[in-house]
Amino acid sequence: MPLHPNIDPELAEGLERAFLPPVDLARMSPADLPGVRGRMREAFTAMPPAAVPGVETEDRMIPGPDGDPDLRVRVHRPAGRGGPLPVLYWMHGGGMVLGLVEMDDAILARYVRDVGCVVVSVEYRLAPEHPHPAPVEDCYAGLVWTAKNAGELGVDPDRVAVGGSSAGGGLAAGTVLLARDRGGPAVSFQFLLSPMLDDRNDTPSSREFEEAVMWSRGENIFGWTALLGEAVGTAAVPAYAAPARAADLSGLPPSYIDVGELEVFRDECADYAQRLLRAGVSTEFHIFPGAFHGFDAILPDAGVSVRAVEGRVAALRRALAGLV
């Protein structure tokens, strides 16, 4: 596949040596997903845990939504630090159809170390076996558990950020909307990294990237269709599934959003950030020039990746720890 002419030169050079996951959802059917998930789980669980000095990790099983199965959460915390500490409640990516908590261990451990916070990462149910509202309701249930168990977890219920990447970013935005509309738990910050926000796929960037290094238009349509079925793209889709559809963004917490220039999510993220600002929500927004979806995970040592992660850490520190 020819690279986009605007791609960051260092990323382009790195792609010649990088390992890209051999998964193209645009050319798959839902019947292929269990096999892909199984291979992903084997790969991540076979790897040794990310060893970050000073960070402790444990898995917990917590109640799911009423009448639904329990959920697994992974709790990362600074070793030997007393509370109460701020907390980042986190949702992994995977296009609504893939993913598990292990995939974000390294970056979440860095947030723990550099921000001085606890991170609670939730493993939500996946589409199409579990369509909307199951994934976002799982995420909301985990947020409720985190807030209710703040004392046991050693976290400050007044310093709760909700965040995620890609599909997890979209679920984080939907969870924050649910928390606002249901009267809690209180969320002090939302942290959305290349979030998947709009099922309609009608922005210029959504149409532009028929081919992409990661997450093409076809893959995006696959993920949204898995989540929403025949309702995808229609007026029947609620904002909790596709937050870009929310008519009212007022009353949401201060927000951070970032996205790459060369990805389908670029324009929906820019629009969401502008709409937050117009609704009176303090919002920090970044577009990383020449960057494709998932650039920082695939090529973490590239300059743009280093800048992106450092900026995210700084934003979390300002929001949660009052540091600069």
Side-chain angles (χ1 to χ4, degrees), residues 4-315:
H4 195 284
N6 289 2
I7 192 167
D8 177 275
E10 191 176 4
L11 293 179
E13 181 181 356
L15 284 174
E16 297 178 2
R17 304 181 299 275
F19 170 77
L20 297 179
V23 176
D24 183 355
L25 294 177
R27 293 176 171 81
M28 295 173 60
S29 77
D32 298 316
L33 288 172
V36 176
R37 291 173 187 151
R39 292 190 294 274
M40 179 179 286
R41 188 169 293 276
E42 288 176 5
F44 276 104
T45 56
M47 296 168 58
V52 176
V55 177
E56 300 174 342
T57 299
E58 66 168 329
D59 286 354
R60 303 277 294 271
M61 296 302 296
I62 68 169
D66 289 345
D68 288 320
D70 288 351
L71 304 171
R72 180 168 72 116
V73 296
R74 177 160 286 191
V75 181
H76 307 267
R77 65 173 60 254
R81 286 280 300 273
L85 298 173
V87 60
L88 170 62
Y89 177 68
W90 179 261
M91 280 130 272
H92 65 75
M96 304 293 181
V97 298
L98 300 171
L100 63 166
V101 295
E102 283 85 355
M103 63 194 287
D104 290 333
D105 280 354
I107 189 59
L108 297 183
R110 175 164 180 183
Y111 293 156
V112 170
R113 183 194 69 192
D114 292 355
V115 178
C117 66
V118 173
V119 177
V120 178
S121 178
V122 63
E123 188 155 301
Y124 51 87
R125 288 172 291 173
L126 301 174
E129 297 90 338
H130 304 286
H132 178 78
V136 74
E137 289 290 355
D138 284 355
C139 295
Y140 179 75
L143 176 62
V144 170
W145 177 85
T146 300
K148 283 185 175 179
N149 292 275
E152 177 192 350
L153 293 168
V155 304
D156 182 351
D158 293 325
R159 290 187 293 167
V160 178
V162 173
S165 177
S166 193
L171 288 166
T175 299
V176 172
L177 287 169
L178 280 173
R180 179 195 67 179
D181 295 346
R182 293 177 178 176
V187 177
S188 61
F189 189 63
Q190 67 174 345
F191 184 62
L192 312 178
L193 312 184
S194 297
M196 183 176 176
L197 298 168
D198 196 343
D199 66 295
R200 292 166 290 193
N201 287 284
D202 61 2
T203 66
S205 63
S206 174
R207 292 188 293 268
E208 179 179 355
F209 295 102
E210 294 280 357
E211 293 188 351
V213 176
M214 289 285 290
W215 204 248
S216 66
R217 174 179 174 83
E219 291 179 292
N220 202 43
I221 291 171
F222 180 97
W224 279 116
T225 303
L227 182 71
L228 300 171
E230 294 182 357
V232 67
T234 73
V237 175
Y240 306 125
R245 291 176 172 269
D248 179 12
L249 298 181
S250 64
L252 295 176
S255 303
Y256 175 97
I257 303 175
D258 71 25
V259 69
E261 176 192 357
L262 308 181
E263 57 174 306
V264 293
F265 299 142
R266 181 193 68 211
D267 295 340
E268 65 200 61
C269 290
D271 181 65
Y272 201 70
Q274 290 179 324
R275 291 182 58 226
L276 284 165
L277 288 164
R278 290 196 293 268
V281 177
S282 182
T283 301
E284 180 176 354
F285 177 60
H286 296 270
I287 293 180
F288 296 111
F292 51 83
H293 189 66
F295 66 99
D296 53 301
I298 294 170
L299 295 167
D301 296 327
V304 65
S305 302
V306 172
R307 292 193 301 274
V309 174
E310 288 178 347
R312 294 164 187 166
V313 168

